[in-house]
Protein backbone atom coordinates (compact mmCIF):
# COMPACT_ATOMS: atom_id res chain seq x y z
CA UNK A 1 0.00 0.00 0.00
CA UNK A 2 2.37 2.67 -1.26
CA UNK A 3 -0.38 5.29 -1.54
CA UNK A 4 -0.82 5.57 2.22
CA UNK A 5 -1.88 9.04 3.26
CA UNK A 6 -0.83 9.65 6.87
CA UNK A 7 -3.80 11.03 8.73
CA UNK A 8 -3.47 14.55 9.95
CA UNK A 9 0.28 15.11 9.50
CA UNK A 10 0.79 16.16 13.10
CA UNK A 11 3.68 18.46 13.75
CA UNK A 12 5.63 18.74 16.94
CA UNK A 13 5.39 22.22 18.35
CA UNK A 14 5.10 24.00 21.64
CA UNK A 15 1.30 24.21 21.36
CA UNK A 16 -1.25 22.14 19.46
CA UNK A 17 -4.91 22.81 18.82
CA UNK A 18 -7.60 20.57 20.21
CA UNK A 19 -8.54 19.50 16.67
CA UNK A 20 -5.21 17.74 16.02
CA UNK A 21 -5.53 14.00 15.44
CA UNK A 22 -2.75 13.07 17.87
CA UNK A 23 -2.39 14.05 21.51
CA UNK A 24 -0.01 16.89 22.37
CA UNK A 25 3.57 15.81 22.57
CA UNK A 26 6.53 17.12 24.52
CA UNK A 27 9.04 18.32 21.92
CA UNK A 28 11.83 16.74 23.95
CA UNK A 29 10.38 13.38 22.82
CA UNK A 30 9.85 13.74 19.06
CA UNK A 31 8.76 10.13 18.41
CA UNK A 32 5.03 9.50 18.68
CA UNK A 33 4.06 5.81 18.72
CA UNK A 34 0.79 3.96 18.44
CA UNK A 35 -0.40 0.34 18.17
CA UNK A 36 -3.73 -0.64 16.62
CA UNK A 37 -5.40 -4.01 16.14
CA UNK A 38 -7.79 -4.52 13.22
CA UNK A 39 -11.15 -5.57 14.70
CA UNK A 40 -11.92 -7.90 11.78
CA UNK A 41 -8.58 -9.47 10.89
CA UNK A 42 -6.75 -9.15 14.18
CA UNK A 43 -3.69 -7.81 12.35
CA UNK A 44 -1.60 -5.57 14.58
CA UNK A 45 -0.30 -2.30 13.13
CA UNK A 46 2.43 -0.25 14.78
CA UNK A 47 3.28 3.33 13.86
CA UNK A 48 6.06 5.60 14.97
CA UNK A 49 6.10 9.17 13.70
CA UNK A 50 8.88 11.72 13.99
CA UNK A 51 7.68 15.21 13.18
CA UNK A 52 9.15 18.65 13.28
CA UNK A 53 7.64 22.10 12.97
CA UNK A 54 8.16 22.31 9.18
CA UNK A 55 5.50 19.84 7.90
CA UNK A 56 8.03 17.09 7.35
CA UNK A 57 8.95 13.98 9.25
CA UNK A 58 9.67 10.28 9.20
CA UNK A 59 7.08 7.54 9.60
CA UNK A 60 7.96 3.93 10.36
CA UNK A 61 5.11 1.47 10.35
CA UNK A 62 4.62 -2.25 10.69
CA UNK A 63 1.43 -3.94 9.49
CA UNK A 64 1.57 -7.60 10.48
CA UNK A 65 5.16 -8.53 9.63
CA UNK A 66 5.61 -5.95 6.84
CA UNK A 67 7.62 -2.78 7.55
CA UNK A 68 7.46 0.49 5.63
CA UNK A 69 9.35 3.74 6.07
CA UNK A 70 8.64 7.06 4.45
CA UNK A 71 9.69 10.69 4.70
CA UNK A 72 7.09 13.44 4.51
CA UNK A 73 8.70 16.44 2.81
CA UNK A 74 5.95 19.07 2.82
CA UNK A 75 6.90 19.82 -0.81
CA UNK A 76 5.29 18.73 -4.09
CA UNK A 77 7.63 16.16 -5.67
CA UNK A 78 6.02 15.01 -8.92
CA UNK A 79 7.74 16.30 -12.07
CA UNK A 80 7.45 15.59 -15.79
CA UNK A 81 10.54 13.40 -15.31
CA UNK A 82 8.99 11.09 -12.67
CA UNK A 83 5.26 11.19 -13.46
CA UNK A 84 5.45 7.75 -15.13
CA UNK A 85 8.00 6.01 -12.89
CA UNK A 86 6.83 7.50 -9.56
CA UNK A 87 10.49 7.42 -8.47
CA UNK A 88 12.57 10.27 -7.11
CA UNK A 89 16.31 10.23 -6.42
CA UNK A 90 17.26 10.97 -2.83
CA UNK A 91 20.54 11.12 -0.94
CA UNK A 92 20.84 10.41 2.75
CA UNK A 93 23.44 9.88 5.44
CA UNK A 94 23.24 8.62 9.00
CA UNK A 95 25.52 10.55 11.39
CA UNK A 96 28.93 10.94 9.71
CA UNK A 97 28.51 7.80 7.58
CA UNK A 98 28.61 7.27 3.84
CA UNK A 99 26.12 9.14 1.64
CA UNK A 100 23.65 6.75 0.01
CA UNK A 101 21.86 7.58 -3.25
CA UNK A 102 18.63 5.72 -4.02
CA UNK A 103 15.41 6.07 -6.00
CA UNK A 104 12.52 6.26 -3.54
CA UNK A 105 8.83 5.83 -4.41
CA UNK A 106 6.50 8.84 -4.50
CA UNK A 107 3.54 8.57 -2.13
CA UNK A 108 -0.01 9.12 -3.33
CA UNK A 109 0.03 12.69 -2.03
CA UNK A 110 3.19 13.49 -4.07
CA UNK A 111 4.78 14.93 -0.92
CA UNK A 112 6.07 11.70 0.66
CA UNK A 113 8.91 9.40 -0.35
CA UNK A 114 8.80 5.68 0.50
CA UNK A 115 11.90 3.60 1.11
CA UNK A 116 12.34 1.32 -1.94
CA UNK A 117 12.03 -2.44 -1.90
CA UNK A 118 10.06 -4.93 0.13
CA UNK A 119 11.99 -4.64 3.38
CA UNK A 120 13.08 -1.45 5.10
CA UNK A 121 14.37 -3.29 8.19
CA UNK A 122 17.99 -2.27 7.43
CA UNK A 123 16.87 1.38 7.31
CA UNK A 124 14.98 1.02 10.61
CA UNK A 125 18.03 -0.59 12.22
CA UNK A 126 20.13 2.40 11.11
CA UNK A 127 17.57 4.77 12.63
CA UNK A 128 17.79 2.82 15.90
CA UNK A 129 21.55 3.15 16.21
CA UNK A 130 22.06 6.66 14.78
CA UNK A 131 21.73 10.14 16.20
CA UNK A 132 20.95 12.04 12.99
CA UNK A 133 19.67 11.48 9.47
CA UNK A 134 20.51 14.02 6.77
CA UNK A 135 18.02 13.54 3.91
CA UNK A 136 18.15 15.35 0.54
CA UNK A 137 15.33 15.32 -2.02
CA UNK A 138 14.33 17.35 -5.08
CA UNK A 139 11.00 19.19 -5.00
CA UNK A 140 9.30 20.00 -8.29
CA UNK A 141 10.57 23.14 -10.02
CA UNK A 142 13.33 23.99 -7.52
CA UNK A 143 16.79 23.04 -6.32
CA UNK A 144 17.31 20.06 -3.97
CA UNK A 145 16.42 20.55 -0.30
CA UNK A 146 17.83 18.85 2.77
CA UNK A 147 16.23 17.95 6.10
CA UNK A 148 18.21 16.84 9.15
CA UNK A 149 16.32 14.68 11.63
CA UNK A 150 17.34 14.16 15.25
CA UNK A 151 16.80 10.40 15.65
CA UNK A 152 17.40 10.20 19.37
CA UNK A 153 14.48 8.72 21.27
CA UNK A 154 13.39 6.23 18.60
CA UNK A 155 11.25 3.62 20.40
CA UNK A 156 13.74 0.77 20.83
CA UNK A 157 12.13 -2.69 20.73
CA UNK A 158 8.81 -1.34 19.47
CA UNK A 159 9.02 -2.98 16.03
CA UNK A 160 9.44 -6.72 15.37
CA UNK A 161 12.65 -6.79 13.33
CA UNK A 162 14.44 -9.80 11.92
Amino acid sequence: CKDYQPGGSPSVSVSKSASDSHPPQDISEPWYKETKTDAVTGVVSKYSLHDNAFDNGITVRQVGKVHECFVRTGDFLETSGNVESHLSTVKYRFDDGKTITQSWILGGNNESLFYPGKDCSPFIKQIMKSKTLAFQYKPAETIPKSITFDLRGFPQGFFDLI
Side-chain angles (χ1 to χ4, degrees):
C1 175
K2 296 293 183 201
D3 288 334
Y4 173 77
Q5 300 286 335
S9 293
S11 59
V12 176
S13 60
V14 175
S15 63
K16 294 184 90 135
S17 71
S19 64
D20 287 333
S21 61
H22 297 292
Q25 196 176 341
D26 181 346
I27 59 173
S28 66
E29 296 189 27
W31 289 96
Y32 168 82
K33 66 181 184 178
E34 180 177 4
T35 301
K36 295 180 181 180
T37 302
D38 185 288
V40 175
T41 65
V43 173
V44 175
S45 300
K46 298 178 180 181
Y47 303 87
S48 187
L49 310 166
H50 180 289
D51 294 296
N52 66 29
F54 302 106
D55 293 328
N56 51 46
I58 303 170
T59 298
V60 178
R61 70 177 172 204
Q62 176 182 341
V63 180
K65 296 186 185 287
V66 178
H67 298 91
E68 288 186 322
C69 306
F70 62 92
V71 173
R72 297 176 318 282
T73 67
D75 289 307
F76 191 75
L77 303 169
E78 186 178 71
T79 67
S80 59
N82 66 18
V83 71
E84 296 290 327
S85 69
H86 301 288
L87 297 174
S88 184
T89 301
V90 304
K91 294 180 181 183
Y92 64 90
R93 183 179 73 224
F94 289 99
D95 297 330
D96 292 327
K98 181 179 130 186
T99 299
I100 298 168
T101 303
Q102 291 179 320
S103 292
W104 283 36
I105 302 161
L106 291 176
N109 64 2
N110 289 316
E111 293 183 359
S112 298
L113 291 161
F114 283 78
Y115 183 87
K118 294 184 179 188
D119 182 22
C120 70
S121 294
F123 190 78
I124 298 171
K125 289 176 184 176
Q126 277 297 128
I127 289 174
M128 292 171 67
K129 66 182 185 179
S130 300
K131 293 179 184 171
T132 61
L133 168 64
F135 188 88
Q136 184 184 72
Y137 63 96
K138 177 139 182 13
E141 310 299 328
T142 187
I143 61 172
K145 288 186 176 181
S146 293
I147 307 168
T148 299
F149 296 103
D150 181 349
L151 301 177
R152 293 174 293 181
F154 184 81
Q156 303 290 324
F158 184 63
F159 293 98
D160 305 324
L161 298 174
I162 299 169

